[in-house]
Amino acid sequence: MKRFIFSFIAAALLFAGCAKYNEVDINDVKIGKVKMVGAKDIDVQLKANIENPTGTEFKVVSIDGSVFRNGVDFVGLQLVEEATVPARSSGDVILKCRVTLKDKMSALALGLNLASLNSDDFTVDLNATVKGGIVKKKIRYKDVPVSQLLKRFGVKL
C-alpha cells in the first residue's frame, strides 16, 4: 500500500511540474549581439522577454536546429550555454547561440540578393529541451515556416 501511495504522489508531482510549462510566456524575441567566429560560424545573442509566474526555475538546456531554404539545408543553430529563467520573474533572458552556415556559396548568393529575401522560402526544424526541477520537456518543431515562428514569438529583426 505504501508503494502505491508513494507512486501516486510521485506521479502527481511529476504531472504537476509538467503543467507549469504552460504558464510560461515568451512575449518577444530580439537579436542582440552578433559576432563572426569564423568563415562559417556566427555567435548570436537572442534576448527573449519571458514571463515566468510559477515558483519553478526553468533552464533552457539545449536548442538544436536547422533552417532550410526551399528545402535545402541552409544554416544550423545550437545553444552555446544553458540559460536560466528565474522563478516568479518577468524580463529578458539571454540565449547564446551559434549559427553555422552549411554552404558558403548559398550564403554569399543570399547576401547579394537581400531585396528578394522572403521568410516564406525558409522552414525550420528545431529541438529544444527545457528543465524545471527534475522534469525535462522536449519541444519539437518540424518543417515549420520561419514566417510563422517570427509571428508567434514576435521576433524583431
Side-chain angles (χ1 to χ4, degrees):
M1 183 68 173
K2 285 184 182 181
R3 283 188 197 168
F4 175 76
I5 293 172
F6 176 74
S7 298
F8 177 75
I9 292 171
L13 288 173
L14 181 67
F15 290 119
C18 291
K20 292 181 180 182
Y21 287 104
N22 295 334
E23 297 176 30
V24 177
D25 287 326
I26 301 172
N27 300 316
D28 189 28
V29 179
K30 295 178 185 170
I31 296 176
K33 295 180 184 176
V34 177
K35 179 182 175 186
M36 291 293 294
V37 178
K40 293 173 67 174
D41 295 328
I42 303 167
D43 281 347
V44 177
Q45 284 188 358
L46 301 174
K47 290 183 182 180
N49 184 277
I50 300 176
E51 186 175 333
N52 180 8
T54 71
T56 304
E57 174 181 275
F58 294 99
K59 291 184 185 263
V60 180
V61 178
S62 71
I63 297 175
D64 184 31
S66 291
V67 178
F68 299 88
R69 182 175 188 209
N70 296 323
V72 177
D73 197 359
F74 188 66
V75 297
L77 174 72
Q78 285 189 317
L79 186 68
V80 175
E81 65 182 56
E82 289 183 1
T84 301
V85 180
R88 294 184 186 90
S89 68
S90 179
D92 288 339
V93 174
I94 304 296
L95 300 169
K96 296 179 181 178
C97 299
R98 174 151 299 155
V99 176
T100 303
L101 299 171
K102 300 290 184 166
D103 181 11
K104 291 182 203 177
M105 293 309 290
S106 61
L108 179 61
L110 175 69
L112 294 174
N113 199 10
L114 283 177
S116 67
L117 183 64
N118 184 357
S119 62
D120 292 331
D121 293 342
F122 293 88
T123 58
V124 67
D125 291 351
L126 189 67
N127 296 311
T129 304
V130 179
K131 184 178 177 186
I134 60 169
V135 179
K136 285 186 181 179
K137 178 165 177 76
K138 294 189 185 246
I139 302 164
R140 290 189 174 94
Y141 291 103
K142 178 84 172 147
D143 207 23
V144 177
V146 168
S147 58
Q148 282 184 3
L149 287 177
L150 295 174
K151 287 177 193 174
R152 162 65 181 95
F153 294 115
V155 175
K156 294 182 178 40
L157 298 175

